[in-house]
């Protein structure tokens, strides 16, 4: 029986136009650029001394973990979320639209002091002391174990690649670059487009101010302000369809009412 065709990031290496993607990423201060996930994989492979195929397996495992909303997200009313320490938070929810409920998955990077301060690589020394039981592991470490179960990689190798991958993504996005993940979506620095201004009043001082609003260039959501110190992610339609997500409870949305404020 022939093996199944490669999918996800592994399929990139079957494309002759992408298989030789260079490992040189945009340097800080070189200007904002768009980067393919194939280039990110090539760079992480070169830095870690791993094959591109092994790094692609970690990338696929990471996104497969993110895609399992039922299995890996904590729940609140109408919202499920996955917090990855020192990296950021994925949020899944159903939104009401003209054609009914639609899936929405977004991401916001961590802006805590500890996340900003932790610019180096996370240690993989925990692997040597691990009991083999997932209980008590952080989400980062759970992702590494998950990758190993699906790829056959050694745990230390998978964890080291994952740590380098997340650090590389942070550095790229915090320097203003945009990453296009194959079959998943787009990740990049927060930026507002279609900006509009209106007159307003500062509720604390009573001072008249200009309020700027527009649309988040990555997620398409409404946003306020001009710039914030985080990066975000907008999922592709195909990735949203592939999510292992719970079915919505229509009762929770049918009771939702909207009200219009009169200024």
């Amino acid at each position: 029986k022939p093996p199944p065709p490669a999918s996800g990031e592994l399929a990139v290496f079957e494309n002759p136009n992408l298989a030789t993607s260079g490992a040189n990423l945009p340097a800080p201060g070189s200007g904002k650029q768009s980067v393919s996930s194939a280039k990110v994989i090539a760079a992480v492979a070169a830095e870690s001394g791993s094959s591109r195929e092994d790094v692609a397996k970690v990338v696929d495992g990471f996104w497969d973990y993110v895609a399992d909303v039922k299995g890996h997200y904590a729940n609140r009313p109408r919202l499920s979320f996955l917090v990855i320490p020192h990296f950021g938070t994925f949020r899944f929810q159903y939104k009401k639209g003209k054609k009914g409920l639609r899936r929405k998955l977004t991401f916001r990077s961590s802006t805590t002091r500890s996340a900003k301060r932790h610019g180096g690589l996370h240690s993989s020394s925990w692997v040597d002391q691990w009991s083999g039981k997932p209980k008590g592991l952080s989400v980062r470490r759970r992702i590494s174990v998950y990758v190993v179960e699906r790829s056959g990689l050694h745990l230390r190798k998978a964890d080291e690649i994952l740590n380098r991958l997340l650090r590389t993504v942070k550095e790229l996005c915090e320097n203003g670059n945009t990453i296009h993940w194959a079959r998943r979506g787009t990740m990049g620095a927060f930026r507002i487009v279609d900006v509009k201004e209106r007159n307003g009043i500062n509720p604390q001082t009573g001072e008249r101010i200009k309020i700027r609003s527009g649309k988040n260039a990555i997620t398409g959501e409404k946003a306020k302000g001009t710039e914030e110190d985080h990066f975000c992610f907008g999922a592709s339609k195909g990735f949203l369809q592939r999510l292992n997500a719970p079915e919505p409870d229509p009762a929770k949305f049918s009771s939702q009412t909207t009200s219009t404020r009169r200024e």
Side-chain angles (χ1 to χ4, degrees):
K1 184 178 180 180
S7 61
E9 297 294 343
L10 287 175
V12 167
F13 301 101
E14 295 183 352
N15 184 328
N17 296 323
L18 296 176
T20 57
S21 179
N24 296 323
L25 296 175
S30 62
K32 300 176 181 179
Q33 300 182 37
S34 294
V35 181
S36 69
S37 51
K39 186 174 284 291
V40 172
I41 288 170
V44 173
E47 181 184 352
S48 64
S50 305
S51 70
R52 298 185 182 188
E53 287 76 10
D54 282 349
V55 177
K57 289 177 182 178
V58 175
V59 171
D60 280 342
F62 171 81
W63 285 112
D64 286 348
Y65 192 97
V66 169
D68 189 357
V69 179
K70 285 184 179 180
H72 300 142
Y73 286 53
N75 295 303
R76 291 179 181 170
R78 297 183 186 168
L79 176 67
S80 301
F81 58 95
L82 172 66
V83 180
I84 303 176
H86 298 119
F87 187 67
T89 302
F90 285 91
R91 293 177 175 84
F92 173 82
Q93 59 186 318
Y94 286 95
K95 302 287 286 188
K96 293 187 71 173
K98 295 181 180 179
K99 298 182 179 180
L101 298 179
R102 60 184 179 87
R103 293 180 168 192
K104 191 173 187 65
L105 178 71
T106 57
F107 169 86
R108 180 186 174 100
S109 65
S110 176
T111 56
T112 62
R113 289 184 179 181
S114 60
K116 291 296 182 183
R117 190 166 57 245
H118 205 296
L121 282 174
H122 287 256
S123 172
S124 297
S125 61
W126 66 273
V127 171
D128 299 326
Q129 288 81 38
W130 185 48
S131 66
K133 299 179 181 179
K135 185 177 180 180
L137 289 181
S138 69
V139 171
R140 270 179 175 262
R141 294 173 180 179
R142 285 176 182 266
I143 294 174
S144 293
V145 173
Y146 181 91
V147 168
V148 168
E149 291 172 347
R150 284 152 181 76
S151 67
L153 293 173
H154 290 295
L155 181 56
R156 177 178 283 276
K157 185 179 187 67
D159 192 66
E160 290 176 348
I161 292 175
L162 177 67
N163 287 333
R164 290 182 184 276
L165 172 69
L166 296 184
R167 187 190 65 175
T168 298
V169 170
K170 279 185 60 177
E171 290 177 346
L172 282 171
C173 292
E174 288 176 352
N175 288 327
N177 300 292
T178 300
I179 302 173
H180 297 288
W181 295 103
R183 303 175 69 246
R184 275 94 183 201
T186 302
M187 185 174 280
F190 176 89
R191 182 168 60 89
I192 289 184
V193 295
D194 300 333
V195 178
K196 297 179 181 179
E197 288 188 349
R198 64 182 177 85
N199 295 321
I201 297 178
N202 186 320
Q204 296 180 339
T205 65
E207 177 187 6
R208 290 185 176 276
I209 57 174
K210 290 286 186 181
I211 299 176
R212 294 165 59 85
S213 63
K215 183 173 65 174
N216 185 319
I218 300 294
T219 67
E221 296 179 304
K222 292 181 180 179
K224 294 182 180 179
T226 55
E227 184 176 359
E228 292 189 31
D229 190 21
H230 71 269
F231 57 93
C232 43
F233 170 77
S236 67
K237 291 182 179 179
F239 190 55
L240 287 174
Q241 292 173 354
R242 295 192 299 275
L243 296 178
N244 178 30
E247 293 299 320
D249 182 354
K252 292 182 179 180
F253 291 89
S254 61
S255 60
Q256 183 180 15
T257 58
T258 57
S259 60
T260 303
R261 294 184 179 178
R262 296 185 178 182
E263 302 293 340

